[in-house]
Amino acid sequence: MSTIVTLPDQQDARLPKLSYLNSEYGLKSWLLTGDHKRIAMLYLISITFFFFVGGAFAGLIRLELLTPLPDLVASDTYNKLFTMHGVIMIFLFLVPSVPATVGNFVIPIMVGAKDLAFPKINLLSWYLYVAGACFLVFALLNGGVDTGWTFTTPLSTHYLNTHVITAAMGVFIAGFSSIFTGLNFIVTIHRMRCPGMTWFRLPLFCWSHYAASILMVLGTPVLAITLVLVMLERTIGIGVFDPTKGGDPLLFQHLFWFYSHPAVYIMILPGMGVISEVISTFSRKRVFGYTAVAFSSVAIAVFGFFVWAHHMFIMGVSNYSALVFSLLTMLVAVPSAIKIFNWAATLYKGSITFETPMLYAFGFMGLFTIGGLTGVFLGSLGMDIHLTETYFIVAHFHFVMVGGMLMAYLSGVHFWWPKMTGRMYPESMSQLAAVTTFIGFILTFFPQFIVGYLGMPRRYHAYPPEFQVLNVLSTAGASVLGIGYLLPMLYMPWSLKYGKIAGSNPWQATGLEWQIQSPPLTENFVDIPIMDHEAYDYDWLAHKTEHEVTTVG
Amino acid sequence: MTASTPVAHEHHVVGPKIYLTILVALLVLTATTTGAAFINMGVFSPIVALGIACLKAVLVILFFMHIRYSSKVMMLTVGAGFFTFLVLITMTLSDYISRNWGLW
Amino acid sequence: MDSHAIATEHGEHELHDEEHPAYLRHHFVTVDQQRETASFGMWLFLLTEIMFFGGLFMAYLLYRNWYYDAFVAGSNTLGIALGTTNTAVLILSSFTMAMGVYSAEIRSRKGLLTSLSCTILLGLVFLGIKSVEYHEKYVEHHIPGASFSVEDFVHPSDKRDVPLAPDMAQHAQLFFFLYFAMTGMHALHMIIGISILFVLLYQAYHGAYMNGHTSTIDNFGLYWHFVDIVWIFLFPLLYLISRHPLK
């Protein structure tokens, strides 16, 4: 199979003498760093850890669902399993996944700056993430939370004895981590661009992160105050969400989903940014319709604020309100679709090669499209009445979040791994992992669309026996999926020591980050660059590398 | 100065005279809003009260917080914040207000 | 392939000393860029605060709509003299803070110290008056929860007040909850602000902010003004719902 990978001659290749990894030694130099690249690495380690914790919960859920009877765990325990799975996967994995790891690492370099606008706030973000995670681990180890990740009132405020407040505190703190990351990105992209780097020369990765950051900054605080109200309601019991005291439980849901819907765009937009970069690089073609993709990213962010009550159609909102939100939901699907069309058009007549990041990107294109289209089904009021709170919803969001976002995350980590570490991972292993993941994913989640459509409710650990076959298929798929996710845990660390030396631009990609050494210097650039060409300018790259000898460091 | 470098803002120093004027305006508006609370204006009472509050906030934002002398980006940023707040309020209230309208 | 790969212009980056002061951080090219960046960052943080308080305002608007009579009754138990005074105090403190920013910009150490001290003083006065008001609520059994008493609402002592039905009177608890939550959250922000002011005062006393690096004072000023704006909205919403002589 052809490949565009171009590595330096491995006989004499060495990693650069000086890079951000060896510029300083010692634990303190990592824990008190201001270097965005080191902070990205800190995040990478923490996020990976929590991904597997969340994954373990998923494994237990699927184990229980092998049989129709509630025979593995007690009901309360099962509630705790899916709650912790959701809370950890969303707040400790998906929300920070691409922005905090790849975004932190690459955005300053992409805009031509020496660091993010606020390096200390960046470090604070990581500590807030860890603090929030500690609260959640504490809640977990002390019996868990069983409210569902949605903390719906009045269940969470009045009817449970579990550690709701601790968990809410954890999410509250982790939310501020997200806010500060977004704040940093917005200011960096506005103010730290190098000379010549106009908005429309930025890689689309930056546009996606800019849009996601707007959502982080404006949406997350509403979640924060909502959790504060839940905590106050639990402790003092004022009645703000209590019907018996005149409160309205739906007020909680309005405030909660006002954040949590934009949250799904916070999660997916950075992944879409990765896909733009990867699809362009591995088809050797500029992204089709740069402006459309850029504006679509911002449009998704803006419209994302107008649709939250589509999570509440059966909860008691007025019919008129439901109608308006349903119509607006149809609207928000359009920019996402525009992006898919543009990526497909990028592929058309491109020189496509199938390196691992591209395999994940293809997975994204297909699976996100299916997930997104089923989202449109759910946005129609009539359909939603029947499909909501069933496994159809579970399948929908796993298609977009796991089939979409997680694949995009893996694509991004593989794509920028050579830049972050200076090493290549073993290609055949990684391609195997990508294919395994894809197959495992479809086997796990496609049956869930069917079983949900047939009526199996979500968040139940017992179900009518006629659904067992589909559930068994789903669990079987989950095992395959698990293997697919575990494989990178084996070969990525392996590559740190034994992987081929990557050189600065193994993918022959455009973008400022590929013009500097791998791994980069602490200050990224010796002199601030001057940007004189458009994004995805492969002609410029060809011209530049015409007479060049590939050296390292 | 290249295409991407934002127009450097001369660091505009706002003087005490302006601050004093705004202070007096704000105090007068405070007295007005307190006084207006004792007048029965029916449905206009909350509108007047909120209107005066908005006016005071605008004065603080424009002059004490220097937005009057800041770049368009800053103005847009402030606008975006209030816009999002308004979306939260109006779209949530639209649910509550329309609940009594019955089933079509 | 190295980090010089992109064409750079060395000549233009020979900045003179006065453009490269000690307080210019390494990742910024000019002082202007650093100052505008810091200011933008603070504004974005204030946006998060708008949305944070926004949730509380939403709860308030809803329940005021649903339980208007209880909210009127509750609001009328708040002292309007103290409330108006507090509003004036906070506005005055915004003025002194703005003067502090001005003093830093014209490099007047004395002006800065005076302004910061006055702002602290006024902030403390505000909190003092607030605690007097809170104490009043405690004594009158208006704090929501176990000690709440509907007496004042079902059998109001003032002839101009309309007595409420017992269940509507219970809903006055929601008013007071929101009163304490919103003014409490606001007071928390004031306490944080005053603590930072003490730090700034200490630093200014030892000569800081006199070298043109006024970002910190500027941006703290933005925070302080924002806290003032929150109160500007809280005052009419909580104290002035319907003070006109009833019946």
Side-chain angles (χ1 to χ4, degrees):
Chain A
M1 190 166 307
S2 66
T3 178
I4 54 166
V5 175
T6 312
L7 302 177
D9 179 5
Q10 294 296 306
Q11 287 277 41
D12 332 301
R14 297 280 179 275
L15 287 177
K17 277 215 191 70
L18 190 63
S19 76
Y20 78 98
L21 287 169
N22 61 13
S23 56
E24 278 183 291
Y25 285 108
L27 199 58
K28 248 177 84 171
S29 76
W30 279 89
L31 294 180
L32 294 177
T33 183
D35 181 5
H36 63 101
K37 299 180 289 298
R38 287 193 168 199
I39 294 173
M41 290 295 114
L42 291 173
Y43 264 112
L44 182 62
I45 297 168
S46 357
I47 285 173
T48 309
F49 173 74
F50 282 106
F51 172 69
F52 285 103
V53 173
F57 284 118
L60 287 169
I61 293 173
R62 286 304 336 154
L63 264 179
E64 166 63 81
L65 290 175
L66 266 176
T67 61
L69 291 171
D71 44 14
L72 187 66
V73 294
S75 306
D76 281 356
T77 313
Y78 186 77
N79 295 348
K80 291 172 186 175
L81 289 178
F82 67 68
T83 303
M84 295 311 295
H85 169 69
V87 169
I88 291 177
M89 283 309 206
I90 291 177
F91 295 111
L92 296 186
F93 177 70
L94 281 169
V95 167
S97 60
V98 167
T101 55
V102 180
N104 258 333
F105 197 99
V106 143
I107 285 181
I109 309 177
M110 278 182 170
V111 304
K114 292 189 170 175
D115 208 315
L116 285 176
F118 306 115
K120 293 198 190 114
I121 303 250
N122 199 12
L123 184 65
L124 176 65
S125 269
W126 183 71
Y127 278 108
L128 287 173
Y129 171 89
V130 171
C134 285
F135 271 85
L136 286 171
V137 169
F138 180 86
L140 170 63
L141 294 174
N142 278 283
V145 191
D146 54 348
T147 58
W149 81 273
T150 46
F151 289 102
T152 314
T153 59
L155 179 69
S156 59
T157 48
H158 290 89
Y159 296 102
L160 293 173
N161 292 329
T162 50
H163 294 272
V164 176
I165 293 184
T166 317
M169 247 345 259
V171 174
F172 179 89
I173 296 173
F176 277 96
S177 166
S178 179
I179 287 174
F180 288 133
T181 300
L183 194 152
N184 233 330
F185 285 171
I186 293 177
V187 181
T188 304
I189 294 173
H190 266 280
R191 291 260 177 258
M192 311 280 289
R193 285 170 288 129
C194 64
M197 182 65 81
T198 62
W199 277 91
F200 291 103
R201 284 181 178 169
L202 283 170
L204 288 166
F205 184 88
C206 295
W207 277 95
S208 297
H209 278 73
Y210 181 72
S213 300
I214 295 176
L215 293 168
M216 284 187 224
V217 164
L218 291 173
T220 319
V222 180
L223 176 73
I225 192 67
T226 312
L227 292 173
V228 167
L229 287 172
V230 168
M231 291 190 260
L232 284 173
E233 178 86 5
R234 265 186 87 82
T235 41
I236 323 178
I238 310 309
V240 70
F241 299 131
D242 182 0
T244 61
K245 292 191 181 148
D248 186 14
L250 228 58
L251 176 64
F252 167 83
Q253 292 192 36
H254 273 297
L255 294 174
F256 178 82
W257 288 110
F258 184 84
Y259 162 74
S260 298
H261 186 77
V264 314
Y265 299 121
I266 291 175
M267 295 188 263
I268 198 70
L269 275 167
M272 289 176 157
V274 171
I275 300 300
S276 287
E277 300 303 311
V278 168
I279 287 201
S280 169
T281 302
F282 295 100
S283 9
R284 315 303 302 155
K285 221 175 139 227
R286 45 177 277 279
V287 176
F288 183 89
Y290 175 102
T291 321
V293 178
F295 283 139
S296 291
S297 303
V298 179
I300 291 174
V302 174
F303 294 157
F305 270 120
F306 302 152
V307 298
W308 77 86
H310 65 224
H311 299 267
M312 299 161 62
F313 282 154
I314 60 162
M315 296 297 177
V317 292
S318 77
N319 288 338
Y320 304 93
S321 187
L323 183 66
V324 168
F325 278 105
S326 175
L327 285 169
L328 289 167
T329 305
M330 297 300 151
L331 200 59
V332 82
V334 172
S336 299
I338 289 178
K339 295 178 108 173
I340 295 276
F341 285 131
N342 277 297
W343 291 322
T346 308
L347 291 170
Y348 180 64
K349 290 207 175 162
S351 310
I352 299 176
T353 48
F354 296 89
E355 287 79 354
T356 305
M358 191 58 155
L359 289 180
Y360 280 118
F362 278 129
F364 176 97
M365 296 265 299
L367 298 174
F368 176 78
T369 304
I370 296 177
L373 287 174
T374 51
V376 178
F377 299 176
L378 293 167
S380 335
L381 262 179
M383 289 292 292
D384 191 71
I385 307 270
H386 298 284
L387 295 175
T388 195
E389 301 304 308
T390 67
Y391 258 82
F392 196 92
I393 297 248
V394 176
H396 157 70
F397 65 70
H398 282 95
F399 261 78
V400 282
M401 285 298 131
V402 181
M405 185 53 218
L406 180 49
M407 290 222 145
Y409 171 72
L410 290 169
S411 180
V413 170
H414 283 78
F415 186 61
W416 277 287
W417 186 260
K419 180 56 54 185
M420 299 195 285
T421 61
R423 300 262 184 190
M424 294 297 288
Y425 48 82
E427 185 66 21
S428 27
M429 277 253 73
S430 58
Q431 285 175 324
L432 175 67
V435 172
T436 310
T437 312
F438 184 78
I439 294 174
F441 177 87
I442 300 220
L443 197 52
T444 311
F445 292 105
F446 201 83
Q448 292 184 9
F449 272 128
I450 303 173
V451 87
Y453 192 79
L454 290 173
M456 177 176 170
R458 65 184 286 203
R459 295 175 167 169
Y460 277 37
H461 64 329
Y463 53 82
E466 55 261 34
F467 296 145
Q468 181 168 23
V469 173
L470 289 163
N471 273 293
V472 169
L473 274 176
S474 182
T475 304
S479 339
V480 176
L481 194 57
I483 295 173
Y485 291 143
L486 278 168
L487 283 173
M489 290 308 294
L490 300 173
Y491 63 72
M492 293 301 226
W494 177 92
S495 76
L496 289 175
K497 192 133 199 280
Y498 302 107
K500 299 200 182 126
I501 304 284
S504 48
N505 198 354
W507 312 120
Q508 297 302 297
T510 59
L512 285 176
E513 75 270 27
W514 300 107
Q515 317 310 322
I516 58 174
Q517 66 178 57
S518 307
L521 293 168
T522 301
E523 63 268 27
N524 302 333
F525 307 98
V526 176
D527 294 300
I528 298 293
I530 293 185
M531 189 65 170
D532 52 7
H533 56 276
E534 302 304 308
Y536 313 112
D537 194 338
Y538 289 95
D539 290 330
W540 172 87
L541 184 68
H543 179 76
K544 190 174 160 308
T545 56
E546 242 173 337
H547 303 294
E548 144 200 294
V549 174
T550 317
T551 58
V552 176
Chain B
M1 200 75 81
T2 60
S4 76
T5 319
V7 173
H9 263 275
E10 283 148 38
H11 194 37
H12 183 120
V13 178
V14 183
K17 260 213 216 111
I18 301 210
Y19 289 147
L20 211 49
T21 318
I22 300 298
L23 169 68
V24 169
L26 288 171
L27 291 173
V28 165
L29 286 169
T30 306
T32 311
T33 196
T34 304
F38 290 97
I39 304 173
N40 187 349
M41 289 182 277
V43 73
F44 285 106
S45 285
I47 297 178
V48 166
L50 272 178
I52 295 178
C54 286
L55 186 53
K56 286 159 84 176
V58 163
L59 287 176
V60 172
I61 291 175
L62 283 180
F63 296 99
F64 282 170
M65 298 173 91
H66 304 161
I67 285 296
R68 176 79 174 74
Y69 312 99
S70 295
S71 61
K72 284 221 184 75
V73 175
M74 289 296 113
M75 296 188 193
L76 209 63
T77 305
V78 178
F82 283 108
F83 175 72
T84 314
F85 170 76
L86 285 174
V87 167
L88 170 66
I89 302 294
T90 50
M91 290 183 80
T92 308
L93 279 180
S94 73
D95 169 33
Y96 287 104
I97 290 176
S98 57
R99 280 189 194 176
N100 279 332
W101 294 357
L103 281 177
W104 313 119
Chain C
M1 199 78 72
D2 56 41
S3 303
H4 289 279
I6 311 297
T8 61
E9 294 187 24
H10 296 263
E12 284 199 14
H13 291 275
E14 314 249 333
L15 294 170
H16 304 288
D17 268 339
E18 64 256 24
E19 293 167 30
H20 237 300
Y23 57 83
L24 181 64
R25 307 271 315 280
H26 78 284
H27 55 291
F28 290 112
V29 178
T30 65
V31 169
D32 260 359
Q33 184 193 32
Q34 179 173 293
R35 197 188 58 245
E36 280 167 27
T37 301
S39 177
F40 195 0
M42 179 48 96
W43 271 110
L44 284 173
F45 176 70
L46 294 180
L47 289 198
T48 69
E49 296 274 43
I50 294 178
M51 297 313 295
F52 187 71
F53 277 96
L56 287 173
F57 278 100
M58 183 60 237
Y60 167 90
L61 284 173
L62 173 66
Y63 293 127
R64 170 177 166 152
N65 192 276
W66 278 10
Y67 308 122
Y68 183 70
D69 296 332
F71 269 56
V72 168
S75 166
N76 284 342
T77 69
L78 300 177
I80 198 171
L82 287 180
T84 312
T85 309
N86 248 356
T87 312
V89 163
L90 213 48
I91 288 173
L92 200 55
S93 80
S94 253
F95 169 74
T96 56
M97 190 62 221
M99 288 305 295
V101 170
Y102 174 75
S103 306
E105 272 160 9
I106 61 168
R107 310 205 186 186
S108 158
R109 181 168 169 274
K110 208 147 164 273
L112 181 59
L113 289 175
T114 316
S115 303
L116 290 178
S117 312
C118 286
T119 312
I120 291 178
L121 204 59
L122 290 164
L124 290 171
V125 167
F126 178 92
L127 288 176
I129 295 181
K130 207 81 222 91
S131 37
V132 166
E133 289 180 293
Y134 278 8
H135 180 74
E136 240 176 44
K137 290 298 106 196
Y138 170 71
V139 157
E140 290 170 3
H141 291 286
H142 289 161
I143 296 189
S147 65
F148 187 80
S149 154
V150 294
E151 264 312 296
D152 290 338
F153 303 104
V154 175
H155 301 116
S157 47
D158 190 326
K159 296 256 169 40
R160 292 174 304 169
D161 287 333
V162 179
L164 298 176
D167 61 339
M168 182 57 91
Q170 281 293 341
H171 294 320
Q173 284 195 79
L174 267 173
F175 170 80
F176 286 109
F177 168 67
L178 284 165
Y179 167 77
F180 281 108
M182 293 166 95
T183 59
M185 188 59 77
H186 176 263
L188 177 64
H189 282 77
M190 293 252 344
I191 293 172
I192 294 172
I194 293 173
S195 316
I196 298 178
L197 270 168
F198 272 114
V199 172
L200 295 179
L201 186 63
Y202 174 84
Q203 290 173 332
Y205 183 76
H206 289 281
Y209 311 118
M210 291 295 116
N211 57 355
H213 182 48
T214 60
S215 258
T216 315
I217 304 284
D218 282 347
N219 293 330
F220 177 79
L222 290 179
Y223 174 82
W224 191 259
H225 295 307
F226 175 76
V227 176
D228 183 22
I229 290 178
V230 173
W231 182 261
I232 283 175
F233 282 100
L234 286 184
F235 174 59
L237 288 177
L238 293 171
Y239 289 77
L240 305 179
I241 297 182
S242 177
R243 292 263 172 180
H244 52 260
L246 294 159
K247 303 291 185 277

